[in-house]
Every structure is written in C-alpha cells, then in structure tokens.
Amino acid sequence: MKEKLFVGRPNLGNRKSFLRRVNDILDRRWLSNDGPMVKEFEQRVADLLGVRHVVAICNATAAIEIACHALGFKGEVILPSYTFIATAHALQWQGIKPVFCDLDPKTHNIDPDKIESLISPRTTGIIGVHVWGRGCETELIGDIAARRGLRVMYDASHAFGCSIGGQNIGTFGECEVFSFHATKFINCFEGGAITTNHDGLAEKMRLMRNFGFVDYDKVIYLGINGKMNEVCAAMGLTNLEAMDKIVAANRKNYLAYREALRTLPGISLIPYNQKEKNNYQYVVLEVDPQQCPCSRDELVEALHREKVIARKYFWPGCHRMEPYRTTQPRADKNLPETERIAARVIVLPTGQTVSRHGIRVIAKILKKIINKKSKF
Ligand code: T4K
C-alpha cells in the first residue's frame, strides 16, 4: 500500500452542501443550544426511522449516560462484555455496576439464554448492543425484562440504517442510542442520538441534555451538557443525503471481500441477513485457530506491516479492561464465548475510501502469509 488504510475512515457526503450549511450557521450566529440544524437533523432521523422522538446528543457515550439516568438505572445493569468500552463506562461513571453477559457466537450479540442467571435483587436494567449492525434478539430480551420487572435499552451505535424483522433499529426497547462518531456509517464528526417512542422519556432526556433547564433560570432535573452543536448537525444532514451511496459502497466492498477471501483456510467473513436492512459498515473476519495456519495476531501484524491498519475489535472484551479487570477479576468465568470470539476477530477497512484494488491487495497479503506459514 502507498498509504495507510484505516478501519473507520470517515464517509463524507457532498462537500459543497456541507459548506453551504456551515455558511448558513455563521450567518445566523446560532451555533449550539438546540439550533435549527439540530432540529432539522432530529426530524430527518425521526422520519427515516419512523420513530416519534430523536434527541440529538454530543456523542453516544453521553447519550447512553443520559438514557440510563432517565430510565432510572441504578445498582446493576446487564450488558455484553463484547462491546466498545463506552457502553460499560457509561454505567460505571454513574456508579452502576456493569454485569457482563456472554455472547451468542452465531450473532456476536448478548445471549438471551444467559441473561436470567445474572439477575440479582440489585438489577434494574438490560442494555443490548447490536454489534456490527446485526440486531439483538429483542423479543426474547423484552420477554425477560417484562417478566423480571427490568427496563431495556439498546446501544445501536453500529446499527444506523439496519433492521430487525423488517422494523428499523431505533424503535426497540424503551430507547436506543446511535453513535455518529467520525468512524461510524453516518457521521457528525462527533455525535449521538437517543430515539424513543415514549413521550415522557423524550421530554426528560431533552431537559437532561441541557442541564435540566425547563425555562430561563428554572432547573427541574439533574442534567449535563449533552448538546449537539450546529456544525455537527450540518455534517449529519449532509451525510444522511449520501446514505444510499455509502451503503452501496460498503456493500460492494463486502461482496468483493467475500469473493477475494473465499478460498482462505479457516477464515470466514461474518454474514449479514439479506432479508434485513444492513449498512455493511463492518467487514469482520473470524479466524478459526484449528483450520488457519496463522493465528489472528499474526494476520493482523502482517496487515499492519503492509500499512493495512486492521483492528481486533472488541479484544480483549470490556471485562479484561480497567477498572473491571480489577473490580470483577472472576468475570471471565462466565464469558467463555466472549473470550473465544474476541480472540478470533479481525475488522478490515471499508467505506468510500477503500477500492476494489485495495481489497485485492489485502487478500493477497493474507494469502501470502497463510501460504508461507502452511509450508512449515
Ligand atoms: N457503543 C459502541 C458499540 C461503540 O462502538 C461506540 C463507539 C460507542 C458506544 C461510543 O460512541 P461515541 O461516544 O464515540 O459516539 C473508535 C471510535 O472512536 C468509537 O467511536 C467507536 N465506537 C469505536 C468502535 O472505534 P478507537 O479507539 O478504535 O478509535 P481510533 O482513534 O483508533 O479510530 C479508529 C480508526 O479510524 C483509526 O485507525 C483511524 C480512523 N479515523 C478516525 C478518526 C477519528 C480516521 O481516519 N479519521 C478520523 O477522523 O474507537
């Protein structure tokens, strides 16, 4: 490779449209605090997902914190360990203990069969994460929660533009949280949003993102500054206009990878259900140590040497990161599948900046090291 290829290189919509929006913002001198761009962004997302309320937030981590607070989470909350550390940190930051649940190896999502045994008298909720944009088993999770008096929300950071049983992600649980970080399918530079069909919850979360202000000089809740600014909303609006093109580029790349990696022993590309809407934002390989002559780490190192900055998301799992490694030293005993999958996964670059040629080169690098190793 001439230049480094990254996982998470931002997808960009039309530059002129974005700059026109930025000029409008400057002309208006309205830069933040629930401005017109933010309102328009929220409306567009609501229309797109078919959800009643969208509350734009400065990033998904703050959005999860606000959502947890609005839902009254306290004590313990069950979530997968196989997620970006932000999901766990958002709880711990508020003094709530994240209780890590194992994953289902077929989906990489929280395994509903393993949730009930983790419920204690201190449990108040469940957070499912739609990892790689593949939806959680929302019906089963909803049943458990209803039976055990728990509240459910989803971290949908990966899943903008995806569906479960044909229904848009963003409409499940009591609320869902999206990330619009630079590396995400649709980005706002930094950004997030909470989506919900519950009027009261939406109202509460709107107030919480603005310090709890209900009027000039009147605060009715504990709140934080979770506001999205106008330039971030302008970026989001511009990128939403390019959404179909971005999905098409991702899908094309996904299919090209599938073809190019077909014959590699012990390497499989995770599938997406063709009956659902998918954003194809993640090209995820699983390396089977019984079948592949190279270890996952050897493959990642070989790619890095050739300037392909592949990633091992979400290795080693939240439970093996601080502070959880110290506060929950035995958590791994309940997480055999998480440990197995976290040691097998490689995420490859995709998006608008990755070409068919780039994909062929990546496949060649992998083939070369595997062939070399299999000769020993
Ligand atoms: N829940 C889940 C399930 C998540 O995946 C995330 C975020 C969150 C919650 C929290 O959402 P936010 O609060 O961030 O809205 C990256 C992202 O920073 C993070 O947003 C994302 N998940 C996670 C999966 O990936 P890192 O630590 O791997 O980031 P970093 O700096 O290594 O960037 C990734 C790659 O992207 C780099 O190799 C280069 C490329 N890149 C990055 C940026 C920012 C660019 O090419 N241009 C850029 O502007 O976490």
Side-chain angles (χ1 to χ4, degrees), residues 6-7 9-10 60-61 84 155 157-158 179 181 184 311 313:
F6 291 106
V7 171
R9 204 90 177 126
T61 310
F84 190 58
D155 177 343
S157 291
H158 293 188
S179 171
H181 177 256
K184 293 294 184 278
R311 299 297 294 261
Y313 293 133

Side-chain angles (χ1 to χ4, degrees), residues 82 103-106 108 132 286 296 313 315 336-346:
Y82 195 69
L103 56 73
D104 176 345
K106 289 196 294 297
H108 296 185
W132 319 131
E286 265 190 53
R296 184 275 303 267
Y313 293 133
W315 188 79
E337 293 298 341
T338 303
E339 300 243 306
R340 200 171 64 81
I341 294 296
R344 291 165 73 117
V345 160
I346 302 178

